[in-house]
Amino acid sequence: MYRPHPFSWVPGAEQRHATIDDRPPGGWRDGETVTTLCDLSIQAETSELAWLWDTCPDCNAAAHVLAQCPMPPPAGAR
């Protein structure tokens, strides 16, 4: 399976998290346990609404490091 980065995104625990766990074909099923880049063990949620949750800031920072892409400056920063 093509994976452009060494991580994937998965909603759970009321946020979107990143993980380096192997993503199953077709994605995670509801309730599957996933270890996140912020060191949580979460239950995956697959609803459309879950993908609209806020992104975990710790996972976001770790994902940017793994992608070798610097974090953008905060909104309104000069």
Side-chain angles (χ1 to χ4, degrees):
M1 171 173 52
Y2 174 72
R3 191 173 182 174
H5 300 292
F7 59 87
S8 299
W9 291 97
V10 57
E14 298 184 5
Q15 289 186 313
R16 288 178 292 138
H17 291 272
T19 182
I20 57 171
D21 290 358
D22 288 333
R23 183 177 172 265
W28 286 277
R29 295 186 183 142
D30 271 342
E32 283 188 271
T33 301
V34 179
T35 302
T36 66
L37 296 182
C38 67
D39 293 323
L40 293 178
S41 183
I42 64 165
Q43 303 293 312
E45 297 195 34
T46 61
S47 71
E48 288 183 26
L49 181 60
W51 284 104
L52 300 176
W53 290 340
D54 288 337
T55 300
C56 169
D58 293 336
C59 283
N60 192 32
H64 276 80
V65 170
L66 288 174
Q68 298 178 353
C69 176
M71 290 281 292
R78 291 183 163 196

